[in-house]
Amino acid sequence: MARIVMKFGGTSMAGIERIRNVAARVKREWDAGNQVAVVVSAMAGETDRLVGFCKEASPLYDLREYDVVVASGEQVTSGLLAITLQALGVPARSWLGWQLPIHTSSAHASARIGSIDTDALNASLADGQVAVIPGFQGLAEDNRVTTLGRGGSDTSAVAVAAAMKADRCDIYTDVDGVYTTDPRIVPRARKLSKVTYEEMLELASVGAKVLQTRSVGLAMKEGVRVRVLSSFEDAQDEGGHRGTLIVGEEEIDDVERQLITGIAHDKNEAKVTLTNVPDRPGAVAHIFGPLADAGINVDMIVQNVAHATGSTDVTFTVPRAELARALDVLGKAKGPIGYDTLIHDTKIAKISVVGVGMRSHAGVAATMFDTLAERRINILAITTSEIKVSVLIHEDETELAVRVLHTAYGLDAPEGEAA
Amino acid sequence: MARIVMKFGGTSMAGIERIRNVAARVKREWDAGNQVAVVVSAMAGETDRLVGFCKEASPLYDLREYDVVVASGEQVTSGLLAITLQALGVPARSWLGWQLPIHTSSAHASARIGSIDTDALNASLADGQVAVIPGFQGLAEDNRVTTLGRGGSDTSAVAVAAAMKADRCDIYTDVDGVYTTDPRIVPRARKLSKVTYEEMLELASVGAKVLQTRSVGLAMKEGVRVRVLSSFEDAQDEGGHRGTLIVGEEEIDDVERQLITGIAHDKNEAKVTLTNVPDRPGAVAHIFGPLADAGINVDMIVQNVAHATGSTDVTFTVPRAELARALDVLGKAKGPIGYDTLIHDTKIAKISVVGVGMRSHAGVAATMFDTLAERRINILAITTSEIKVSVLIHEDETELAVRVLHTAYGLDAPEGEAA
């Protein structure tokens, strides 16, 4: 017997036919004698519909009421899955966020899970009942409904798994696992059977949108073993695994360990350059302080060597969706910063080479730069971390860069075994 | 300053444009310095959509999970109305059934309201905040979501009005009040500016579907002054009243009091006759006991004088929707009852003449029988109560009967003032 959390996204819950498919998967785990909690998203499109209502009601909607409105989508699918499971002879009941409860911060629309009461849940599981829990929702201290922000159901699932000390948290999606890179770009991309939390964090945050970043961070912190797998296929890889297991480094033995796990790309960033910023202490604080105050995420930062004139150019990236706000903030701060001109470019892409093996191996960055140089791909900026090297390039060269790097690091699947 | 409950049905809440119209009406009452709680239904069609999901998931759906699913419709409109009110500068917040809470019995899908905690609600109203409360939903003792059954939002509104000792409970619908009879049948029907609870109960239960019967019963029990009015028009009658006020008899003075308040008709009944039932003590119990056990409502009952043979015919009506089940129950009970044949007829209608003034005035029934006889309308059965005389006739004669009775009791509006 194992304790398992299964999470199903909006595509898997879109309509009763698909919910029946989900129920059949849940029944299989329950039939095997496991204790099962299921975390569900709203039907695909439903959250958008509800958000649309809020925006139509008032562009400046109250986030507390927004949470009341949008949390209803997962409430509906929870009840429907419980009914569907019962129809298959599986005892099941729904537990809404306020019923368990799932305690969260009071940051409405982007709340963080604090703790989850498990007494009632554990009793129900011990009784052989499947618990169906709406993802994305919780309860603030003042007894009001909260939601975790878009994609929050992954985080709910991991938090429930941590609270009930589950053996595994299976995230069912519309892809069958995590790949070495985007198979739409590189047909010979390979599915990974295991990946570490750290690698997954880098792969997720740089564009491999399989799991919500926050959920991976939480899984790492709580040591929850997460598996990503398809809710529409049952294909296993040659090792007999379904999907990709996301675990701690200690669970990956040396034979399995790769130098490089994957190549990610991200076209959602924009580049901003401030020219001739005075090269004096505190100048950079004048730039990034106001951006931080405005809640704008800054990613890659490059500061050139000071010009002979005592000034320097500062380049960084921000999410494209936040570019207009960033330019506004920087325009207003022109005086305190003292720059000459403000230049931006949205036709860029970030390419990242990720792998925990990189730590113990020099030359990863050199291979990257050589490979790109051979194809005359110009590098606009570089950042590195312990397990990642990222470069900024022109957007048009994204696919070429990903393809040549995938080959250069030996990630291509053998001929005929492509994804 | 007054304390007011305003209730808006699904047609009034169907889409943001209409919710804005509702918000404007609420603002008017709030601007006048009143303390206002608003009870809302789900958007028109939404409850049907959610019920459809449940039925599709399983024809034998769990009522506890059904309640989780269908209660979401009112949750959505509550949040949206709060947002819309705020956009008009009116402080507002939603209070879900489990938040107040509205305590109910645990009869899922048809729960009865027990008590409503008003401490938080009163504090919020005293602060000048408009309370937006989803109708139809509540909380059972075991902390699970309940609903009151279809049309339950009227009952929610009256219960909230009673709990907060409101001066008035305004029910906004798509008609502008209660009429002496159905204006589609009698163009010269008149809107009533006042009607007693008792009359409204009879008018509602016999077919004037303006208010849910349960809500009128509760209003009578709790002494809640209810007003029915249109959410789409602001027309006032000659006395400067909007809609129809439903109150205790003591609030209607002698000048206003009519002998007959209205004529109702009901085509939802079916007639059942058992022939040659043995005329012995306990025979009738053999008929109505099993029907009661099956939860079938029996309305008009007529037992003829015993035949010379020592047997009698028993005729009664049941709702058409329950006819098939009633016939099944009676078929199985043929032995114990000992009847000859079981006859049924769905082409019937019940016509009722209603008025509290009737108590003090003989001859009302005589007028009814004379009027119908003049038009050669055959009476199949008769029942009377203190404030009502009902007859069963052939369905085809419904409109004629209503029209001639409306005239006979002097209810026709003066020429040119028709509805």
Side-chain angles (χ1 to χ4, degrees):
Chain A
M1 190 212 74
R3 303 195 104 186
I4 299 174
V5 172
M6 304 172 77
K7 185 260 167 180
F8 294 89
T11 316
S12 310
M13 299 298 291
I16 300 296
E17 266 321 305
R18 292 193 179 177
I19 292 177
R20 264 195 256 281
N21 178 39
V22 165
R25 287 195 182 279
V26 173
K27 182 176 193 303
R28 231 177 290 168
E29 296 287 4
W30 182 82
D31 280 341
N34 297 314
Q35 291 188 351
V36 185
V38 190
V39 175
V40 296
S41 297
M43 293 190 190
E46 182 64 11
T47 305
D48 286 341
R49 187 177 82 104
L50 295 167
V51 171
F53 281 141
C54 291
K55 288 184 176 163
E56 195 187 343
S58 170
L60 299 167
Y61 50 80
D62 180 347
L63 293 177
R64 292 165 301 188
E65 300 299 343
Y66 163 95
D67 279 351
V68 167
V69 173
V70 298
S72 68
E74 281 74 12
Q75 177 170 333
V76 168
T77 47
S78 301
L80 292 176
L81 179 56
I83 290 173
T84 310
L85 282 166
Q86 290 174 7
L88 294 181
V90 179
R93 73 155 280 190
S94 62
W95 295 91
L96 302 181
W98 57 269
Q99 282 173 325
L100 278 175
I102 295 176
H103 299 286
T104 73
S105 70
S106 59
H108 286 274
S110 59
R112 294 194 162 263
I113 294 178
S115 65
I116 300 178
D117 290 2
T118 50
D119 290 354
L121 180 63
N122 282 333
S124 166
L125 292 171
D127 261 6
Q129 219 172 24
V130 169
V132 183
I133 300 169
F136 179 59
Q137 64 179 237
L139 185 70
E141 210 176 334
D142 63 357
N143 210 35
R144 296 190 75 165
V145 176
T146 53
T147 66
L148 310 183
R150 296 304 293 267
S153 290
D154 288 345
T155 306
S156 299
V158 171
V160 167
M164 63 184 255
K165 302 192 194 340
D167 298 286
R168 206 172 67 232
C169 177
D170 286 350
I171 311 267
Y172 287 82
T173 68
D174 42 11
V175 297
D176 65 350
V178 180
Y179 277 75
T180 49
T181 196
D182 186 340
R184 287 168 303 183
I185 296 180
V186 182
R188 286 170 69 182
R190 283 185 297 114
K191 183 170 75 65
L192 296 160
S193 49
K194 278 186 187 171
V195 66
T196 67
Y197 299 120
E198 293 85 348
E199 289 167 333
M200 189 64 207
L201 270 179
E202 295 295 354
L203 290 168
S205 65
V206 294
K209 293 175 212 72
V210 178
L211 274 186
Q212 210 220 356
T213 310
R214 257 165 85 186
S215 68
V216 181
L218 183 62
M220 181 163 74
K221 179 168 159 265
E222 301 282 347
V224 174
R225 303 172 79 238
V226 173
R227 188 167 62 150
V228 172
L229 68 178
S230 166
S231 90
F232 301 105
E233 287 170 38
D234 284 314
Q236 297 179 344
D237 61 21
E238 53 202 34
H241 302 102
R242 287 193 58 211
T244 300
L245 202 58
I246 305 163
V247 291
E249 213 177 325
E250 67 286 356
E251 279 206 55
I252 300 185
D253 61 36
D254 288 342
V255 181
E256 293 172 317
R257 189 162 302 166
Q258 306 268 338
L259 177 64
I260 299 300
T261 307
I263 317 284
H265 69 280
D266 182 1
K267 294 184 178 179
N268 292 311
E269 300 270 306
K271 182 169 70 97
V272 176
T273 300
L274 305 181
T275 65
N276 286 321
V277 176
D279 185 26
R280 60 167 184 252
V284 171
H286 284 303
I287 300 173
F288 298 110
L291 289 172
D293 292 345
I296 295 166
N297 272 320
V298 173
D299 184 20
M300 304 173 86
I301 302 176
V302 182
Q303 183 178 349
N304 294 351
V305 182
H307 302 175
T309 56
S311 67
T312 181
D313 297 345
V314 177
T315 294
F316 53 87
T317 61
V318 297
R320 280 186 201 174
E322 294 172 12
L323 176 63
R325 272 172 57 227
L327 294 178
D328 183 53
V329 165
L330 293 168
K332 285 175 182 152
K334 183 167 185 180
I337 303 171
Y339 61 83
D340 259 11
T341 54
L342 180 58
I343 303 165
H344 67 269
D345 183 358
T346 56
K347 304 286 287 175
I348 54 146
K350 183 164 69 169
I351 311 295
S352 304
V353 170
V354 176
V356 285
M358 189 181 293
R359 277 186 202 135
S360 52
H361 195 95
V364 167
T367 302
M368 187 173 198
F369 305 150
D370 286 350
T371 306
L372 295 176
E374 258 172 42
R375 296 302 186 120
R376 301 187 167 276
I377 295 170
N378 195 25
I379 295 174
L380 309 174
I382 301 168
T383 56
T384 60
S385 77
E386 281 210 356
I387 65 161
K388 179 182 75 164
V389 182
S390 298
V391 296
L392 212 60
I393 63 173
H394 287 293
E395 188 179 14
D396 295 344
E397 296 169 324
T398 308
E399 285 73 17
L400 176 61
V402 169
R403 235 175 264 133
V404 296
L405 290 171
H406 199 263
T407 304
Y409 288 108
L411 295 172
D412 291 354
E415 204 81 54
E417 286 186 24
Chain B
M1 190 212 74
R3 303 195 105 186
I4 299 175
V5 172
M6 304 173 78
K7 185 262 168 181
F8 294 90
T11 317
S12 310
M13 299 298 290
I16 300 297
E17 266 322 304
R18 293 194 178 174
I19 292 176
R20 263 196 257 283
N21 177 41
V22 165
R25 288 196 182 277
V26 173
K27 183 177 193 301
R28 231 179 289 167
E29 296 286 4
W30 181 81
D31 280 343
N34 297 314
Q35 292 189 350
V36 185
V38 190
V39 175
V40 296
S41 297
M43 293 190 192
E46 182 64 11
T47 304
D48 285 340
R49 189 177 78 103
L50 295 168
V51 171
F53 280 141
C54 292
K55 288 185 176 161
E56 195 188 342
S58 170
L60 299 167
Y61 50 80
D62 181 348
L63 293 177
R64 294 165 299 187
E65 300 300 343
Y66 163 94
D67 280 351
V68 167
V69 173
V70 299
S72 69
E74 282 74 12
Q75 177 170 335
V76 168
T77 47
S78 300
L80 292 175
L81 179 57
I83 290 174
T84 310
L85 282 166
Q86 291 175 8
L88 295 181
V90 179
R93 73 154 281 190
S94 62
W95 295 92
L96 302 180
W98 57 269
Q99 282 174 325
L100 278 175
I102 295 176
H103 299 286
T104 73
S105 69
S106 60
H108 286 274
S110 58
R112 297 197 159 259
I113 294 178
S115 65
I116 299 179
D117 289 4
T118 51
D119 289 354
L121 180 64
N122 282 333
S124 166
L125 292 170
D127 261 5
Q129 218 172 23
V130 169
V132 183
I133 300 170
F136 178 58
Q137 63 178 239
L139 185 69
E141 210 176 334
D142 63 358
N143 210 36
R144 297 189 76 163
V145 175
T146 53
T147 67
L148 310 183
R150 296 303 293 265
S153 289
D154 288 345
T155 306
S156 298
V158 171
V160 167
M164 64 183 256
K165 303 191 192 342
D167 297 286
R168 206 173 66 231
C169 177
D170 287 351
I171 310 268
Y172 287 81
T173 69
D174 41 11
V175 298
D176 65 350
V178 180
Y179 278 75
T180 48
T181 196
D182 186 340
R184 287 168 303 182
I185 295 180
V186 182
R188 286 170 70 181
R190 284 183 297 113
K191 183 171 75 65
L192 296 161
S193 51
K194 278 187 187 171
V195 66
T196 66
Y197 299 120
E198 291 85 349
E199 289 167 332
M200 190 63 206
L201 269 179
E202 296 294 355
L203 289 169
S205 65
V206 293
K209 294 175 212 71
V210 178
L211 273 186
Q212 211 221 355
T213 310
R214 254 165 89 185
S215 69
V216 181
L218 184 63
M220 181 163 74
K221 176 168 163 264
E222 300 283 347
V224 174
R225 303 173 77 239
V226 173
R227 189 168 60 149
V228 172
L229 68 179
S230 165
S231 93
F232 301 104
E233 287 170 37
D234 284 315
Q236 297 178 346
D237 62 22
E238 55 203 29
H241 303 101
R242 288 194 59 213
T244 300
L245 201 57
I246 304 161
V247 291
E249 210 176 328
E250 67 286 358
E251 278 207 54
I252 299 185
D253 60 35
D254 289 340
V255 181
E256 293 172 318
R257 191 162 303 166
Q258 306 269 339
L259 178 63
I260 297 300
T261 306
I263 317 283
H265 68 280
D266 181 2
K267 294 183 179 179
N268 292 311
E269 300 270 309
K271 182 169 70 99
V272 177
T273 300
L274 304 182
T275 64
N276 287 321
V277 176
D279 186 26
R280 60 167 184 249
V284 171
H286 283 303
I287 299 173
F288 297 111
L291 290 172
D293 291 345
I296 295 167
N297 272 319
V298 173
D299 185 18
M300 304 174 84
I301 302 177
V302 182
Q303 182 177 348
N304 293 352
V305 181
H307 303 174
T309 57
S311 66
T312 180
D313 297 345
V314 178
T315 295
F316 53 88
T317 61
V318 297
R320 281 187 200 174
E322 293 172 11
L323 176 62
R325 272 173 54 228
L327 295 179
D328 184 51
V329 166
L330 293 168
K332 285 175 182 152
K334 184 166 184 179
I337 303 172
Y339 60 85
D340 258 9
T341 54
L342 180 58
I343 303 167
H344 67 271
D345 184 358
T346 57
K347 303 287 287 174
I348 54 149
K350 183 165 69 170
I351 311 295
S352 304
V353 170
V354 176
V356 285
M358 190 180 295
R359 278 187 201 134
S360 51
H361 195 93
V364 167
T367 302
M368 187 172 196
F369 306 150
D370 286 350
T371 307
L372 296 177
E374 257 172 43
R375 296 305 185 118
R376 300 188 169 275
I377 294 171
N378 194 28
I379 295 174
L380 309 175
I382 301 169
T383 57
T384 58
S385 78
E386 282 214 352
I387 66 162
K388 180 182 73 165
V389 181
S390 299
V391 297
L392 210 60
I393 62 172
H394 287 293
E395 189 180 14
D396 295 345
E397 297 171 322
T398 308
E399 285 72 17
L400 176 62
V402 169
R403 235 176 266 131
V404 296
L405 290 170
H406 200 264
T407 304
Y409 289 107
L411 295 172
D412 290 353
E415 204 81 52
E417 284 184 27

